[in-house]
Amino acid sequence: LCMSEAFKEMYDVIVNRRDDPQEGSYTCYLFDKGLDKILKKCGEECTEMVIAAKNHDNEELANEINDVLYHMAVLMVERGLTVEEVDAIMRERSKKIGNLKQFHVSDHNT
């Protein structure tokens, strides 16, 4: 099972929890609390991922990346965004070669 297939399976479970709520489900709790709670959790998990990376802890980093992906999938379901829609954009972007953006250099001393 590759990562994209595992993500799709997780996404499908999240859709199922939304459509058929289960008692004691964390996913159902997030849907009940709404978009603000889901967004808060996305931000928290991103921060925890950054800290794990900074601490050079790859096991913790892998766990935090999974937490980010899970909460991102909950957000996608909440907003009605499908895996296929995101996948289409990802496939288009993967075809781009040599698209390094030019960054604006600013003088921070002024």
Side-chain angles (χ1 to χ4, degrees):
L1 193 66
C2 74
M3 186 172 156
S4 62
E5 291 168 336
F7 184 83
K8 177 67 169 118
E9 285 184 8
M10 180 176 59
Y11 178 93
D12 290 343
V13 168
I14 293 167
V15 169
N16 180 269
R17 290 292 185 272
R18 180 200 61 199
D19 296 344
D20 184 21
Q22 306 290 316
E23 183 75 28
S25 164
Y26 177 67
T27 303
C28 294
Y29 162 80
L30 289 173
F31 285 129
D32 286 345
K33 291 296 181 182
L35 184 60
D36 284 352
K37 180 66 171 183
I38 295 166
L39 294 172
K40 180 179 177 188
K41 289 304 297 180
C42 287
E44 288 174 6
E45 297 302 340
C46 283
T47 301
E48 291 172 8
M49 177 187 66
V50 168
I51 292 167
K54 182 190 76 59
N55 291 337
H56 305 286
D57 185 342
N58 281 349
E59 183 176 342
E60 185 65 18
L61 178 58
N63 279 293
E64 295 303 339
I65 288 171
N66 272 276
D67 289 347
V68 169
L69 291 171
Y70 162 76
H71 287 90
M72 184 177 64
V74 172
L75 174 61
M76 289 169 62
V77 173
E78 174 71 16
R79 297 293 297 134
L81 184 62
T82 67
V83 171
E84 292 77 16
E85 289 172 296
V86 175
D87 187 62
I89 294 169
M90 192 177 296
R91 288 179 189 278
E92 273 304 307
R93 288 185 179 189
S94 71
K95 294 175 186 174
K96 294 180 181 179
I97 298 173
N99 64 340
L100 180 64
K101 294 180 180 177
Q102 297 298 316
F103 293 97
H104 175 74
V105 178
S106 62
D107 183 358
H108 296 285
N109 295 322
T110 59

